[in-house]
Amino acid sequence: MNKKLLILVSLLLVTAVIFTGCVPKGGDNSANDTPAATDTTPDSTPTGPKILKTNNSSEPGSLDPALAQGTHESWVLDHTFEGLMKIDADLNVVPGMAKDYKISDDNLIYTFTLRDDVKWSNGDPVLASDFEFAWKRALDPELASDYAHQLYYIKGGEAYNTGKGSKDDVLVKALDEKTLEVTLEAPTAYFLELTAFYTLYPVNQKVAEADPNWAKDAKTHVSNGPFTLTEWQHNASIKIRKNENYYDKDSVKLDGVDFDIIDDENTAWQKYEGGDYDFLSPLPQAVVAQMKANNNPELIIGAEVGTYYYNLNSKVKPFNNVKVRKGLSMSLDRQTIVDKIAQGGQIAAEGVVPFGMHDENGKEYRDNVGKLAEFNLEEGKKLFAEGLAEEGMKPEDFKNIVLLYNTSEGHKKIAQAVQEMWRVNLGIEVQLENVDFQVKLDREKAGDYHISRAGWIGDYMDPITFLELWHSESSFNDAKYNNPEYDKLINIAKTSPDAKERFDAMRNAEKIVMADMPVVPLYFYTQPYAQKPYLTGVYKPLVNYPRLTYADINK
């Protein structure tokens, strides 16, 4: 049996074993199986408050905008806070807390004017000084915000955060209660969109200064978005309710959203299937495949600008060797992974920047970069063998190497597929370990891993949101990658006012990082989700989880 066929047979066996017990309730694997029917007959009798029920798959590490670092936190924050700008249902960046803005002729000074009727959930007015306080607080090196770099675009921001300047030198200033002036280090085409990102959400200065632990408990949590946090049972559930102080409250039809916190996708799916949930994401991959096969109208394949990849810890042998890293990457058949394992319309990764980003000419960015990651088994085996020999190691030494992933049936399936491809193609046996999402993040930050599953959803629609991850000083550089030439190109891309120069820098930077291969990209994301027929008004920004702000329940 040739190697290609052996891999496919092995993967199908793995998949068959994993899928057992993952199919929707009430059926076997026959073609007639469909998810159990749910009664969606409209009911004209009021049934009480409209509470949308769903699942947030991991316990948030923080519901403080400055300290959040993942979708398990941002999905809640995006419904409880609002920035100067926001993304509307037509996916446009439009005024949020700001009613208007002006940009100077040199594109360096932004002046925002807040709406007259904006309030915090406790009734306090939202002030320009709350934004100034929040942004300088996120930059405070003592707070240690992982996302502080998103404020480096502000003049003086990076210097303050890195201990080379003072807070007073950060040029964001409340000119009066309603006017905020921001001066940038360099023209930044996506700065308006960045003000809709959660790290740049305001914080109530009076509340935060009075209680440093304000964001840890629903009783003390104060926000300014369409909903407010009313209950947080840690590792169990989160409840948010309509914020009656929100300026656009009349457009908010829901009375609230209840999030369970369940990390097992199959358990969450059973609750959706049984009618306990109105909406669910993520979905078990076997369920996505079956719903697609049955053309189930409750399945929506949401577009997403994101990349699924593996970190290789370059501080641990043999991942310090570029030949080993490239060999591991080249021995993975990404197309088989997306077709047979992921099964959600994902695209086999060709680099670290996904499709959907535009270049300086308004064209698809990827088209002018080329295919920088591919399946090349012969070259991969050759490089891997050479790299291991250079490190004085043998394939059997990999029995102590562990691939870390956060608890999820989908991540488990992909990890098992990768494990099997490496076993068949390279003769190595890696171990698998699953942990809670926050534990995984903490271990990556500490460098306590060999290989780890990772993913990145763009923060805004520019390739730099991906490429800056592997700058040597990035707080998200969990692969511990360090290449001065790469850093130089990223700095150009972040500061140059010339569009062609910055895109050339990004194209060259991606080629460098993929030649060094500190991370192994697997595929470009989609976000499949399930939505009951009676639920309307949900929309999906390319760089965010689905928004429930203007959803409505009609049953």
Side-chain angles (χ1 to χ4, degrees):
M1 182 180 292
N2 64 42
K3 285 286 183 73
K4 175 76 172 180
L5 183 57
L6 180 57
I7 293 171
L8 183 57
V9 170
S10 299
L11 284 175
L12 290 175
L13 287 172
V14 168
T15 305
V17 170
I18 296 167
F19 280 11
T20 302
C22 294
V23 294
K25 286 191 298 184
D28 54 21
N29 290 321
S30 68
N32 292 325
D33 287 340
T34 58
T38 301
D39 182 5
T40 60
T41 304
D43 185 352
S44 59
T45 304
T47 57
K50 291 184 178 181
I51 306 297
L52 188 154
K53 296 184 178 181
T54 186
N55 183 50
N56 191 55
S57 55
S58 298
E59 165 75 2
S62 177
L63 290 180
D64 179 338
L67 296 176
Q69 58 176 319
T71 53
H72 61 314
E73 297 152 338
S74 65
W75 200 27
V76 178
L77 292 174
D78 286 341
H79 291 90
T80 52
F81 285 85
E82 185 170 287
L84 292 167
M85 306 294 285
K86 65 180 181 180
I87 300 175
D88 71 4
D90 295 320
L91 309 187
N92 296 316
V93 179
V94 300
M97 288 288 109
K99 66 178 180 181
D100 59 45
Y101 60 89
K102 295 179 181 178
I103 306 174
S104 63
D105 292 341
D106 59 5
N107 294 309
L108 290 177
I109 301 175
Y110 287 66
T111 305
F112 297 92
T113 302
L114 300 191
R115 297 176 186 272
D116 294 327
D117 53 349
V118 287
K119 295 181 180 180
W120 292 98
S121 54
N122 67 353
D124 292 345
V126 177
L127 305 173
S129 56
D130 289 325
F131 282 91
E132 177 183 350
F133 169 78
W135 294 6
K136 289 180 176 179
R137 175 175 174 268
L139 285 166
D140 187 338
E142 292 189 7
L143 190 69
S145 168
D146 286 313
Y147 259 114
H149 68 279
Q150 295 293 30
L151 292 153
Y152 284 6
Y153 300 100
I154 300 171
K155 194 168 185 63
E158 182 174 8
Y160 174 44
N161 185 244
T162 56
K164 300 173 184 176
S166 72
K167 180 168 70 172
D168 293 338
D169 295 329
V170 180
L171 295 190
V172 52
K173 183 175 180 58
L175 302 182
D176 55 43
E177 288 190 349
K178 294 296 181 181
T179 311
L180 186 75
E181 182 181 87
V182 187
T183 303
L184 305 185
E185 292 277 7
T188 305
Y190 45 87
F191 183 71
L192 278 179
E193 184 177 355
L194 193 56
T195 67
F197 183 67
Y198 58 83
T199 308
L200 280 73
Y201 287 162
V203 167
N204 186 309
Q205 181 175 0
K206 184 173 68 174
V207 169
E209 288 182 335
D211 180 7
N213 296 314
W214 66 275
K216 296 181 179 180
D217 191 294
K219 294 178 182 177
T220 53
H221 199 272
V222 175
S223 60
N224 70 319
F227 298 93
T228 184
L229 181 69
T230 57
E231 183 179 306
W232 185 3
Q233 295 186 20
H234 294 281
N235 296 296
S237 64
I238 290 171
K239 293 183 178 181
I240 61 176
R241 293 295 180 264
K242 183 175 179 177
N243 180 6
E244 293 300 331
N245 287 322
Y246 184 57
Y247 68 91
D248 196 25
K249 66 177 181 180
D250 291 343
S251 299
V252 178
K253 306 303 181 186
L254 295 176
D255 294 296
V257 181
D258 286 357
F259 300 92
D260 282 343
I261 301 174
I262 299 172
D263 61 15
D264 185 81
E265 291 178 357
N266 294 309
T267 300
W269 167 252
Q270 289 165 8
K271 296 196 72 169
Y272 175 87
E273 188 185 29
D276 292 337
Y277 292 160
D278 310 296
F279 178 95
L280 183 62
S281 181
L283 304 174
Q285 290 166 333
V287 168
V288 174
Q290 186 171 27
M291 292 180 82
K292 283 177 65 179
N294 293 327
N295 294 316
N296 191 316
E298 295 184 24
L299 174 67
I300 299 173
I301 304 295
E304 192 152 58
V305 177
T307 303
Y308 189 109
Y309 61 94
Y310 284 152
N311 289 304
L312 302 176
N313 191 341
S314 62
K315 301 298 183 183
V316 177
K317 288 183 65 173
F319 307 115
N320 58 305
N321 190 295
V322 66
K323 291 181 180 178
V324 170
R325 298 195 300 265
K326 294 181 78 169
L328 289 169
S329 177
M330 289 182 174
S331 59
L332 295 179
D333 184 351
R334 294 165 174 80
Q335 197 60 50
T336 294
I337 289 173
V338 299
D339 289 345
K340 303 296 183 182
I341 310 299
Q343 302 184 92
Q346 297 88 348
I347 300 172
E350 299 181 0
V352 289
V353 178
F355 288 97
M357 299 288 188
H358 293 160
D359 64 14
E360 71 273 28
N361 299 311
K363 306 291 186 181
E364 172 59 55
Y365 165 86
R366 283 237 62 84
D367 290 347
N368 288 319
V369 183
K371 194 169 186 178
L372 305 178
E374 59 184 336
F375 180 48
N376 186 336
L377 184 54
E378 292 307 311
E379 181 67 11
K381 290 172 65 175
K382 173 177 172 292
L383 289 173
F384 185 75
E386 290 176 358
L388 274 189
E390 290 172 6
E391 299 305 318
M393 295 178 67
K394 298 179 180 179
E396 48 265 36
D397 293 328
F398 265 75
K399 68 180 181 296
N400 297 317
I401 297 296
V402 177
L403 191 165
L404 181 71
Y405 65 94
N406 52 294
T407 304
S408 157
E409 192 66 27
H411 299 328
K412 177 181 177 181
K413 293 174 186 176
I414 292 165
Q416 288 178 319
V418 167
Q419 179 190 47
E420 181 66 6
M421 287 182 178
W422 282 340
R423 184 188 71 80
V424 173
N425 289 334
L426 300 177
I428 60 175
E429 298 274 1
V430 302
Q431 309 305 310
L432 305 182
E433 180 185 5
N434 73 291
V435 295
D436 289 341
F437 189 34
Q438 193 61 46
V439 173
K440 182 194 82 80
L441 293 176
D442 293 342
R443 285 182 57 178
E444 286 171 332
K445 290 289 178 288
D448 180 21
Y449 75 94
H450 302 134
I451 306 169
S452 72
R453 183 218 74 88
W456 192 260
I457 309 301
D459 297 333
Y460 43 85
M461 293 297 290
D462 189 278
I464 197 67
T465 188
F466 292 90
L467 294 169
E468 69 178 355
L469 296 176
W470 299 286
H471 188 286
S472 62
E473 296 181 359
S474 167
S475 58
F476 292 95
N477 181 17
D478 296 325
K480 317 304 178 188
Y481 178 59
N482 190 335
N483 183 318
E485 181 61 24
Y486 184 81
D487 285 357
K488 179 181 176 181
L489 290 168
I490 295 304
N491 291 337
I492 291 172
K494 294 181 74 171
T495 60
S496 175
D498 182 270
K500 185 177 188 306
E501 181 183 41
R502 65 182 302 270
F503 273 94
D504 282 344
M506 287 190 284
R507 286 184 282 262
N508 290 330
E510 186 173 6
K511 291 174 184 176
I512 287 174
V513 76
M514 284 291 88
D516 289 343
M517 204 63 71
V519 299
V520 177
L522 294 186
Y523 59 74
F524 299 141
Y525 276 114
T526 57
Q527 188 179 4
Y529 56 89
Q531 178 176 323
K532 296 296 186 183
Y534 54 76
L535 180 63
T536 60
V538 177
Y539 64 99
K540 170 72 179 69
L542 289 172
V543 292
N544 298 101
Y545 258 44
R547 291 291 175 88
L548 311 174
T549 304
Y550 300 114
D552 196 6
I553 293 174
N554 298 287
K555 68 172 182 176

